[in-house]
């Protein structure tokens, strides 16, 4: 008679399916399944809060290209993780959340909440291990839903089912699934449009990150300029026709060229209000095409003239084959010179707002960009500051930028950087935070220090919730509820065992240079006291969506 339980079998099954790293906080409800994962080769990362675990797993999945895995206690363990789960679900991150659950008979359990309803409420897929007989199939189903459909799945593990005796079994073999390309008619229609376009622009989103080469090849064939949504930033890094990010982060040159486009093709991008600047970035006469696997995405955020249902990679290949010859179109010498002169925000002149005690946030980002190695992974929290590290700091490719912003929650930056760092050995991990978000997520500073990650953590510290200050203050509203006294965040960081420096001007970054040259065996925290006299350039536009 085997001593194997369902909890053991679930952990073993996930390891066989490919789970290589699991993030979580262990309680009595998920103790056994977590140990089973570790026993079968998965590496466990113990975070200090379940919210940090979910966000780190989300970031790990985005950067590594592998599914994320989270393990939490029943009830309160799951509710603690919900913000991170909501971010992952809204971003269509392939992720499985192993959530312990009270037994069906434990009607008065303190831990009882409607865990299925919680998952559905944030756009995740609820599922459950039902019995010992179905445990392997149930686990495999949840994993494959996450992978194939790019969904976040909450797999509930009732305690009585977990404890039941089980027999060893292997997961059923996964059937081969070929990504669908668009229909012949759709391919012909798109090829016809691109064959006549004079100023085509491609905008690639997360749905196209696996097809960057194919989309770039098609753009070269039809003379299109390349851009991305913010979350796909870096996909076309190094291409001379790359406009970088479309939307609120677009440079003046990029915005001008996108507005002048006569055909705009969105590849796996929703063209939401951020990517299209509430529609103002796309000309009223432009023909708009959306290529997506999900027909429900067509026109959900912006008007379109043609919806092409298919996977970005094979669809781009088919359209390229249907074109006749190569075209110059938008890739003229005039456009090339414009891009050389102003395709980066750091090339756009600005008046430095720094003074004796504060550094301009743009000056800080540019100085860091010059100081840091090119091989980096930049993770950005939400807040008034976030455009500065996002747009003034370069990234080597799309796996060098992690932007957990679908739910617009502050406080995810440290956990995001944790997951991205573990997915990027050999690259310098950079966490970009505001002071509010840093303090909100500070529990994971302990995790980062404990794991010995040589991470650079930069805090754009304006001693306030800056977005609210700049949105409500000019209208005469009192802002005492969103400003705070000066806090020595560098001292707090040293208390966690980190190296730290307070920065009020560019010369104060010398300790960062020394840290970069050293062993980097502890994190370095930069408490940058930034000039806060004006809002970030994208802030007013962002608040239009509230």
């Amino acid at each position: 008679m085997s001593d194997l339980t369902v909890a053991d079998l679930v952990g073993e099954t996930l390891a066989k399916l490919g789970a290589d790293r699991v993030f979580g906080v262990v309680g009595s409800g998920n103790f056994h399944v977590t140990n089973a994962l570790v026993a079968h080769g998965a590496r466990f990362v113990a975070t200090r809060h379940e919210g940090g675990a979910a966000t780190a797993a989300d970031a790990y999945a985005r950067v590594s290209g592998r599914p994320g895995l989270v393990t939490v206690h029943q009830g309160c363990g799951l509710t603690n993780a919900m913000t991170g789960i909501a971010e992952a679900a809204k971003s269509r991150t392939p992720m499985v959340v192993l959530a312990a659950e009270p037994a069906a008979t434990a009607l008065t359990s303190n831990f009882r909440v409607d865990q299925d309803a919680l998952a559905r409420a944030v756009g995740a897929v609820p599922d459950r291990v039902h019995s010992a007989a179905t445990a392997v199939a149930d686990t495999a189903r949840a994993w494959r839903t996450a992978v194939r459909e790019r969904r976040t799945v909450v797999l509930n593990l009732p305690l009585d089912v977990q404890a039941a005796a089980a027999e060893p079994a292997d997961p059923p073999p996964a059937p081969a699934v070929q990504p669908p390309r668009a229909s012949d008619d759709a391919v012909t229609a798109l090829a016809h449009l691109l064959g006549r376009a004079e100023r085509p622009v491609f905008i690639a989103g997360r749905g196209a990150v696996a097809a960057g080469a194919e989309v770039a090849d098609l753009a070269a064939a039809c003379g299109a300029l390349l851009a991305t949504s913010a979350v796909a930033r870096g996909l076309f890094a190094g291409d001379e026709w790359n406009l970088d990010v479309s939307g609120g982060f677009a440079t003046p040159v990029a915005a001008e060229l996108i507005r002048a486009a006569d055909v705009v093709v969105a590849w796996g991008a929703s063209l939401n209000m951020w990517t299209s600047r509430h529609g103002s970035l796309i000309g009223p006469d432009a023909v708009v095409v959306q290529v997506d696997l999900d027909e429900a995405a067509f026109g959900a955020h912006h008007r379109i003239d043609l919806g092409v249902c298919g996977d970005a990679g094979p669809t781009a290949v088919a359209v390229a084959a249907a074109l006749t010859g190569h075209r110059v179109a938008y890739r003229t010498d005039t456009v090339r010179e414009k891009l050389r002169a102003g395709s980066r925000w750091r090339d756009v002149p600005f008046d430095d707002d720094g003074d004796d005690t504060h550094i301009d946030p743009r000056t800080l980002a540019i100085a860091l960009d010059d100081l840091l190695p090119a091989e980096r992974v930049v993770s950005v929290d939400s807040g008034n500051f976030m455009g500065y590290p996002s747009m003034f700091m370069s990234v080597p490719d799309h796996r060098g930028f992690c932007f957990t912003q679908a739910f617009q929650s502050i406080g995810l930056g440290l956990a995001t950087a944790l997951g991205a760092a573990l997915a990027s050995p050999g690259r310098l991990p950079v966490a970009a935070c505001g002071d509010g978000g840093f303090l909100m997520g500070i529990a994971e500073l302990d995790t980062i220090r404990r794991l010995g990650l040589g991470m650079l953590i930069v805090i754009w510290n304006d001693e306030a919730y800056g977005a609210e200050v700049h949105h409500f203050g000019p209208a005469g509203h009192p802002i005492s509820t969103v400003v705070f006294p000066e806090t020595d965040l560098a001292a707090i960081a040293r208390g966690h065992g980190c190296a730290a420096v307070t920065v009020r001007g560019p010369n104060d970054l010398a300790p960062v240079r020394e840290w970069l040259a050293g062993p980097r065996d502890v994190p370095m925290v930069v408490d940058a006291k930034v000039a806060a006299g004006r809002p970030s350039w994208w802030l007013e536009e962002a608040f239009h969506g509230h």
Side-chain angles (χ1 to χ4, degrees), residues 75-135:
C76 52
L78 180 60
T79 58
N80 276 347
M82 287 311 298
T83 296
I85 294 170
E87 170 64 36
K90 286 176 176 290
S91 297
R92 294 295 291 265
T93 298
M95 189 165 91
V96 175
V97 182
L98 298 174
E101 184 181 45
T105 55
L107 298 179
T108 59
S109 169
N110 286 1
F111 296 118
R112 179 162 297 286
V113 293
D114 190 339
Q115 297 190 178
D116 285 0
L118 282 171
R120 290 192 189 96
V122 298
V125 177
D127 208 336
R128 181 168 282 97
V129 173
H130 295 281
S131 68
T134 64

Side-chain angles (χ1 to χ4, degrees), residues 6 165 183 194 295 353 391 411 422 428 502 517 529 540:
V6 168
S183 69
L194 295 176
E295 289 190 38
D353 288 337
M391 297 314 303
L422 293 174
L428 173 71
T502 300
K529 309 297 187 181
E540 182 178 356

Side-chain angles (χ1 to χ4, degrees), residues 297-368:
F298 295 147
H301 295 279
H302 191 281
R303 63 146 185 109
I304 64 169
D305 300 287
L306 174 64
V308 177
C309 190
D311 186 82
T315 299
V317 170
V319 174
L323 289 174
T324 303
H326 278 57
R327 305 183 68 244
V328 172
Y330 219 174
R331 299 189 171 196
T332 64
D333 289 340
T334 300
V335 170
R336 179 186 282 110
E337 289 308 310
K338 282 187 176 183
L339 290 175
R340 286 177 176 173
S343 64
R344 303 184 304 168
W345 268 108
R346 60 177 296 161
D347 298 326
V348 178
F350 65 90
D351 295 326
D352 193 298
D353 288 337
D355 55 32
D356 291 342
T357 57
H358 298 90
I359 187 170
D360 187 294
R362 297 160 293 187
T363 300
L364 172 65
I366 292 169
L368 289 169

Side-chain angles (χ1 to χ4, degrees), residues 1 20 103 127 186 199 206 226 229 265 340 361 388 482 544-545:
M1 182 69 178
D20 65 338
D127 208 336
R199 297 177 304 282
R206 272 196 75 187
L226 293 161
S229 64
V265 184
R340 286 177 176 173
Y388 304 119
V482 290
H544 289 165

